[in-house]
Amino acid sequence: MPANFVFILHFHQPHGQLKYVNERVFENSYSMLLEVLKDYSDLKFTVHISGPLLLYLKEHHEEWLEEIFKLGDIGTLEFMAGTISEAILPLVPSEMRVKHITKYIEFFEELSGVRPVGFWLPERVWEPWLPEVLSKAGIEYVVVDDAVLRKTGLSAEKARYAWLTEESGYPVKVLFIDERLRYTLPWDHPSRVIEYMASASLDDSSLLVWGSDAEKFGEWMERDRSEAWLRDFLARLRGEKRVVMVHPTEYLREHGVKGYLYLDTGSYDKMLEWSGGFFRNFLVKYAESNNMHKKALWVKRKLEEAGEKPDTMPLDYYLAYSNDAYWHGLFGGIYLPHLRQAVYESLIKAERVAEENMGYYDSNEVKRILVDFDYDGREELLVETKQYNLYVKPSDGGTLFEYDVKSPGLEHNLQDTMTRYKEPYLEGTWFNPDWYRRVSWRVHIWGVETTIHDWMHNSPFKDMSDLALAGYSVAFSEKPHEFYLRTVGGVYYHGVKASSLLVEKGVKLLSNGYSVSYRFKNLGEGVVRGKIGVEYHLAWKICRDVEKPPWFSVNGKRFNIDQWYVGGGQLVELYSGDYPKTSLRASGEVEVWVAKLPSYARTEKGLREIPQGLAVMFTVLVELKRDDLVELEVEHTLG
């Protein structure tokens, strides 16, 4: 009873990947795998190339694609479809899910002449409604991890066969990736891997599926070692009678399905662990993930208002759903700023297309919209112009959480920085997670002894007020380019309320940015002593083709991005390659704190510090008696 073995290589690099990473992986992994596949062309492999990688290879390595497609022509390879952006389908609006798949299929068929009928489920995130979407897209089979089978409460033996499932009468066949096999291949000795496969066979229709990252060969494991392992493994399979390599369609044609079943939500075991059992939890854990997702929904509204349908929406809009930027586990995911930047670039481009097509600013050059943008039950203020967007969250300290530059060629969210979250792998270390979202316009009342170190490393009890997280009211000026935020908060000494402070923020739109006039007034009897701090975070633009390290200056003096600055200052400027400089200018000389904002992500190569942007704090030492006030204005401009 030979075991039928499906060997699926999943080739993927995300939308927005750094070019040098793509080229390193191509050289170490993809070029090597092509040569191995050619040398073992008598065997049968299954291949999925993700949409973003397919687009990259079409532009930079078309000869590699041609060679891969030839192996399909001679029967060595069977190709699987995916989504054009490698999107997690549950994050995609329901009416666009089928098009995410058919857009990939159409592009793949255009390149190869082959129309795949199998589907590689991105991050193998399964939800019970998927069969209808897959079936409508022309998909016949999908691979899912056997962890989903266990989560459903079904027996492990069921993973040894193909099954049928359906939704609303739309069927799809399901093959299960074997978790134990995925963890042993290619890490264990080839002979032991084959012994396991042979021992797992139940009858002549037994099926074992290995489906995982092609990058394990040459990138995760060094090239020479992984190539030697793979060649040894395949040479043994050539003469092995107990294991036969098959394509999924071949297996289904010969053995069919065992029966029907229904599956719970799920994914592979580690993704279930990282997400708390449900992928959409990442949108709750990471405000930055939710921000991108809800920005995509907002842009979709504009595209639809402009008359666009899923068939006609720009490719940029689809690419914005590339999954890697939305989550974090073993890989950098959401902590990688170049991936988030690519999402925002694509969304801003698509948004500009929609606005131009419907004459969005013909009647009013400034849009001021109160809407629950992030779906938390509270309204946000969206201020939109043809040049840029300012998104403000009154309920979270009256902060600026998105600042989109919309000029052609400069598409960028200058506010795309990252909060440092509590992560399991950082527990018991020196790390203190952020207690608020790292955005801009947040106000603090620091104790006089507070330092930049306390701010950056979140020393507890240094902020003496509740203003940082206070809710603000919004007022509009008759002038469309101006609006106001207002709150009253408490100032506390040793946990006892000492006074109340009125905070007003007057925002004025400029041609190349905006200004905020801050006004602080003591309303109570107690004296307010400390440092008023006004906080900003700036995301520098990453050049993905060539590495160009950012740097900053204070009052014209240049500093390396890894340096901290504490001292007098009025003007802070951030430089990133060829992108226009970003400037913060205070209305007068104040004490300025400037530091790189780092986060710490777990990767396949260990814990890694990842710069997220530049943190800037303007501080003013005050001693305010009742009715005393202090004012500060900060201009934030580009260019």
Side-chain angles (χ1 to χ4, degrees), residues 242-469:
R242 297 170 299 167
V243 178
V244 56
M245 295 182 76
V246 296
H247 292 147
T249 52
E250 177 188 6
Y251 172 87
L252 291 167
R253 185 169 58 250
E254 184 172 343
H255 299 286
V257 298
K258 193 72 171 176
Y260 70 94
L261 47 69
Y262 295 91
L263 296 170
D264 195 358
T265 60
S267 182
Y268 53 90
D269 58 326
K270 289 298 184 184
M271 180 60 81
L272 291 174
E273 174 189 326
W274 299 327
S275 66
F278 187 45
F279 185 85
R280 300 191 201 206
N281 285 336
F282 286 120
L283 300 182
V284 179
K285 178 176 181 178
Y286 300 112
E288 292 79 5
S289 178
N290 192 53
N291 205 132
M292 291 184 291
H293 183 253
K294 301 312 183 283
K295 171 73 173 182
L297 297 182
W298 183 251
V299 172
K300 174 176 169 287
R301 288 188 195 179
K302 290 186 175 181
L303 287 166
E304 289 173 339
E305 285 181 35
E308 302 290 347
K309 305 293 184 185
D311 283 349
T312 61
M313 287 185 183
L315 177 61
D316 276 312
Y317 183 71
Y318 284 89
L319 291 175
Y321 285 94
S322 185
N323 79 79
D324 305 70
Y326 288 87
W327 62 279
H328 175 59
L330 177 61
F331 309 102
I334 194 169
Y335 283 107
L336 296 177
H338 56 280
L339 300 187
R340 299 196 312 273
Q341 286 190 17
V343 168
Y344 279 111
E345 285 173 30
S346 293
L347 288 173
I348 293 167
K349 288 176 182 178
E351 181 178 35
R352 190 175 64 240
V353 167
E355 291 176 350
E356 289 174 352
N357 288 351
M358 66 171 155
Y360 192 62
Y361 297 106
D362 287 353
S363 60
N364 192 340
E365 64 179 8
V366 180
K367 304 285 187 179
R368 301 184 298 193
I369 306 162
L370 284 170
V371 63
D372 184 6
F373 170 82
D374 57 11
Y375 295 84
D376 69 345
R378 292 163 290 191
E379 287 185 327
E380 285 71 51
L381 171 61
L382 310 188
V383 182
E384 302 175 332
T385 74
K386 194 172 183 178
Q387 291 75 35
Y388 54 85
N389 301 324
L390 301 180
Y391 291 2
V392 181
K393 193 163 184 61
S395 63
D396 180 34
T399 50
L400 178 71
F401 66 91
E402 184 169 332
Y403 178 8
D404 300 322
V405 179
K406 298 159 79 172
S407 302
L410 300 180
E411 298 88 354
H412 180 43
N413 175 11
L414 289 164
Q415 196 52 68
D416 178 30
T417 47
M418 184 76 188
T419 307
R420 284 87 59 84
Y421 290 89
K422 181 180 179 180
E423 299 285 5
Y425 53 84
L426 293 171
E427 292 180 6
T429 69
W430 46 265
F431 174 77
N432 291 320
D434 290 326
W435 54 277
Y436 59 85
R437 187 175 175 187
R438 289 279 179 164
V439 286
S440 294
W441 303 1
R442 202 177 297 277
V443 170
H444 304 269
I445 308 296
W446 303 115
V448 293
E449 79 290 347
T450 306
T451 67
I452 187 174
H453 184 277
D454 296 317
W455 173 45
M456 293 307 298
H457 295 294
N458 296 301
S459 296
F461 313 116
K462 294 297 183 180
D463 191 333
M464 303 187 302
S465 76
D466 53 20
L467 291 165
L469 302 178

